[in-house]
């Protein structure tokens, strides 16, 4: 990994030493638990995109021009950076098909009721609210459900035709 400052390295070491539970231990902070469920690369910390995996959107991205580059890991989770800091993780349910989705403990659930039941059980501390198609602002026929963490981060679940999961996402902060 490449770091600009000693402070960045210190922050990473502190996060890794305190934010990761040992096998069998639960992660008590809901944001950290949700973050870890998507992938092992922690949000809000500097990282090297190439360490995550392959560039998923090829040459159609340019972080400097506002077209976010997405780095996909082996589990199919896409990672988006704001500068050197990992800011967003997202999962495309259609791309994964019937495969287990580790993010938010979704597993093989795909219907809205099943997914929300799993996510609410995984994150009981977070209120999950939904906006119906036409009010969600996500496009025709798309419902949106989500919740906000104390640190300002949030999760969003999108449901399309037949109330089937289309994507799950966690944002550490707003990137412009």
């Amino acid at each position: 990994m490449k770091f600009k400052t000693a402070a960045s390295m210190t922050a990473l070491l502190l996060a890794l030493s305190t934010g990761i539970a040992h096998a069998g231990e639960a992660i008590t902070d809901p944001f950290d638990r949700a973050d870890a469920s998507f992938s092992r690369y922690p949000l809000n910390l500097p990282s090297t995109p190439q360490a995550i995996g392959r560039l998923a959107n090829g040459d159609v991205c340019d972080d400097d021009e506002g077209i976010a580059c997405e780095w996909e890991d082996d589990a199919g989770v896409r990672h988006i950076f704001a500068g050197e800091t990992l800011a967003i993780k997202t999962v495309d349910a259609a791309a994964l098909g019937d495969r287990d989705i580790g993010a938010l403990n979704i597993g093989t659930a795909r219907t809205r009721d099943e997914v929300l039941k799993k996510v609410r059980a995984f994150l009981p501390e977070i209120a999950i609210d939904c906006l119906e198609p036409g009010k969600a602002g996500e496009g025709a026929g798309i419902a949106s459900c989500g919740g906000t963490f104390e640190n300002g981060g949030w999760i969003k679940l999108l449901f399309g035709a037949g109330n089937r999961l289309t994507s799950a996402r966690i944002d550490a902060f707003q990137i412009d």
Side-chain angles (χ1 to χ4, degrees):
M1 273 184 207
K2 186 176 179 182
F3 293 94
K4 285 191 173 184
T5 66
S8 294
M9 182 60 108
T10 301
L12 177 61
L13 291 174
L14 284 172
L16 292 175
S17 66
T18 60
I20 297 175
H22 293 75
E25 290 182 33
I27 300 174
T28 57
D29 181 84
F31 178 79
D32 291 342
R33 186 177 334 121
D35 178 15
S37 75
F38 277 82
S39 76
R40 64 187 173 110
Y41 306 98
L43 290 166
N44 270 333
L45 291 175
S47 188
T48 304
Q50 295 83 356
I52 290 170
R54 70 177 187 84
L55 182 59
N57 49 345
D59 60 357
V60 296
C61 71
D62 185 342
D63 289 331
D64 293 330
E65 296 296 320
I67 303 170
C69 297
E70 299 179 9
W71 299 86
E72 188 173 333
D73 67 14
D74 291 339
V77 177
R78 292 189 177 199
H79 301 72
I80 301 168
F81 287 77
E84 294 179 357
T85 303
L86 184 53
I88 300 168
K89 298 178 187 179
T90 186
V91 174
D92 178 347
L96 294 179
D98 293 335
R99 284 183 24 208
D100 190 67
I101 297 175
L104 306 173
N105 200 36
I106 292 170
T108 57
R110 293 298 186 271
T111 66
R112 183 167 150 180
D113 288 343
E114 292 172 337
V115 170
L116 291 177
K117 182 178 178 181
K118 300 273 283 185
V119 173
R120 286 178 172 139
F122 184 68
L123 295 171
E125 310 90 342
I126 304 302
I128 310 275
D129 298 313
C130 297
L131 295 171
E132 298 305 320
K135 295 184 180 182
E138 298 291 344
I142 305 293
S144 174
C145 299
T148 304
F149 299 96
E150 285 185 15
N151 70 355
W154 66 91
I155 57 170
K156 183 186 285 190
L157 303 160
L158 298 181
F159 298 90
N163 271 322
R164 305 261 320 152
L165 179 69
T166 60
S167 68
R169 173 177 171 146
I170 185 169
D171 290 58
F173 52 87
Q174 181 68 42
I175 59 175
D176 297 319

